[in-house]
């Protein structure tokens, strides 16, 4: 960790810290499926995310191609870019795409996706660990997209991942956390930053996982396909902040029996003053 990193951390005691780098926001935002570049830009400016994700395969890389406007937009937003390996189905594909992304964006950050099933877009749990291990050896800061399987996530930590991004539900479904037990167990057992990636549909989903102790969330479809993406981006940003604040505040424990919120003793209180 550099002196600048330490200074940044001191300035914000509750910053999201990934691979020694501090971020003020705990929301990461995807950049696909928005109705227009203008709406995407407005949504990012409203949400003020820590990073925005971008797929190297989807957007193109050369000046003058169809993705040039997108890259210009990213530079104008001045938000850190998290390249991803979306669409990769093998270790070799993921490694090649990651190295290309590092050259294009000039960043060691990579959101690692190795898809194993085209219907659910479920990660290939057998090859994900191999790809993560190699990328870390190659100097990448890997954020792996994983299922909520405890053993898989532990193996990713074992090979050097300093953060893991389990899904709440399959990508783009908006179903919210379909296995609360698994997600809460992950939070209890793993001592690294955990960010929920995929499956959130409404801000209350994001608030819920933050209350469980998750360190952040990554969103795309829930914002991009909303009737008003800009307003929804703001709603998610507020929900993430509220969930984090509630986690830090410490919620009361549920009680089996009713308890009066106002203790009642003898005479009315106005009689006590005389």
């Amino acid at each position: 960790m550099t002196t600048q990193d330490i200074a940044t951390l001191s300035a914000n005691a509750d910053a999201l810290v990934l691979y020694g780098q501090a971020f003020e926001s705990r929301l990461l935002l995807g950049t696909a499926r928005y109705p227009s570049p203008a709406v995407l830009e407005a949504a990012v400016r409203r949400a003020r995310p820590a990073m925005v994700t971008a797929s190297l395969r989807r957007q193109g890389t050369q000046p003058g191609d169809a993705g040039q406007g997108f890259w210009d937009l990213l530079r104008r937003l001045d938000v850190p870019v998290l390249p991803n390996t979306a669409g990769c189905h093998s270790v070799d594909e993921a490694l090649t795409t990651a190295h290309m992304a590092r050259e294009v964006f000039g960043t060691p950050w990579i959101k690692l996706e190795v898809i194993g099933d085209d219907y659910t877009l479920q990660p290939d749990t057998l090859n994900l660990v191999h790809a993560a291990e190699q990328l870390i050896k190659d100097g990448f800061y890997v954020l792996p997209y994983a299922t909520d399987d405890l053993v898989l996530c532990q193996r990713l930590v074992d090979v050097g991942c300093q953060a893991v991004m389990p899904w709440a539900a399959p990508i783009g479904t908006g179903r919210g956390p379909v296995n609360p037990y698994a997600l809460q167990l992950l939070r209890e057992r793993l001592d690294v930053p955990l960010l929920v990636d995929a499956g959130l549909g409404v801000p209350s989903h994001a608030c819920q996982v933050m209350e469980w102790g998750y360190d952040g969330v990554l969103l795309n479809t829930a914002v991009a396909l909303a009737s008003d993406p800009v307003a929804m981006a703001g709603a998610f940003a507020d929900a993430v902040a509220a969930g984090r604040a509630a986690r830090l505040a410490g919620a009361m424990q549920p009680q089996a029996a009713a308890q009066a919120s106002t203790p009642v003793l003898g005479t009315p209180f106005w009689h006590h003053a005389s």
Side-chain angles (χ1 to χ4, degrees):
M1 186 179 299
T2 67
T3 302
Q4 183 177 359
D5 291 335
I6 295 173
T8 302
L9 289 175
S10 299
N12 187 353
D14 190 41
L16 170 64
V17 180
L18 302 172
Y19 289 91
Q21 183 169 333
F23 300 89
E24 291 186 4
S25 174
R26 293 176 178 273
L27 172 63
L28 286 69
L29 202 59
T31 56
R33 309 186 69 181
Y34 285 83
S36 71
V39 173
L40 166 60
E41 180 173 358
V44 172
R45 294 192 185 283
R46 174 63 183 85
R48 302 170 62 88
M51 290 188 273
V52 293
T53 64
S55 170
L56 187 68
R57 289 184 163 209
R58 178 176 62 85
Q59 298 294 347
T61 60
Q62 300 301 317
D65 67 19
Q68 184 59 42
F70 177 73
W71 302 129
D72 292 341
L73 171 58
L74 291 183
R75 285 192 288 268
R76 189 163 64 248
L77 288 170
D78 194 28
V79 176
V81 175
L82 174 63
N84 66 54
T85 61
C88 294
H89 289 73
S90 70
V91 173
D92 288 342
E93 282 184 309
L95 297 182
T96 299
T97 302
H99 281 272
M100 291 176 62
R102 183 160 64 179
E103 293 300 318
V104 170
F105 292 103
T107 175
W109 292 90
I110 192 73
K111 178 193 169 187
L112 177 61
E113 296 184 25
V114 182
I115 300 302
D117 180 74
D118 284 331
Y119 182 75
T120 61
L121 298 180
Q122 182 170 341
D124 183 334
T125 56
L126 299 178
N127 286 317
L128 182 64
V129 176
H130 298 309
E133 183 175 23
Q134 184 58 53
L135 288 172
I136 288 170
K137 289 178 179 176
D138 293 341
F140 283 89
Y141 300 162
V142 180
L143 298 178
Y145 161 60
T147 63
D148 52 18
D149 182 86
L150 172 61
V151 176
L152 167 64
C153 293
Q154 182 62 65
R155 294 292 178 269
L156 290 167
V157 174
D158 292 343
V159 300
C161 292
Q162 297 183 24
V164 180
M165 300 203 299
W167 70 358
I171 292 175
T173 62
R175 297 172 61 87
V178 295
N179 193 340
Y181 170 77
L183 285 176
Q184 293 178 75
L185 183 64
L186 275 179
R187 182 62 290 173
E188 293 174 7
R189 295 293 302 280
L190 298 185
D191 190 24
V192 297
L194 295 174
L195 296 85
V196 167
D197 177 12
L200 303 183
V202 292
S204 58
H205 294 157
C207 191
Q208 177 70 87
V209 298
M210 293 300 292
E211 288 176 356
W212 290 341
Y214 275 76
D215 298 278
V217 302
L218 193 160
L219 301 162
N220 191 156
T221 308
V223 173
L225 298 190
S227 299
D228 185 340
V230 179
M232 188 60 79
F236 266 106
D238 293 344
V240 169
R244 177 65 179 176
R247 174 70 177 184
L248 295 178
M252 64 165 285
Q253 294 298 314
Q255 306 293 326
Q259 296 187 20
S261 57
T262 302
V264 178
L265 294 173
T267 58
F269 69 87
W270 58 85
H271 290 181
H272 299 173
S274 58

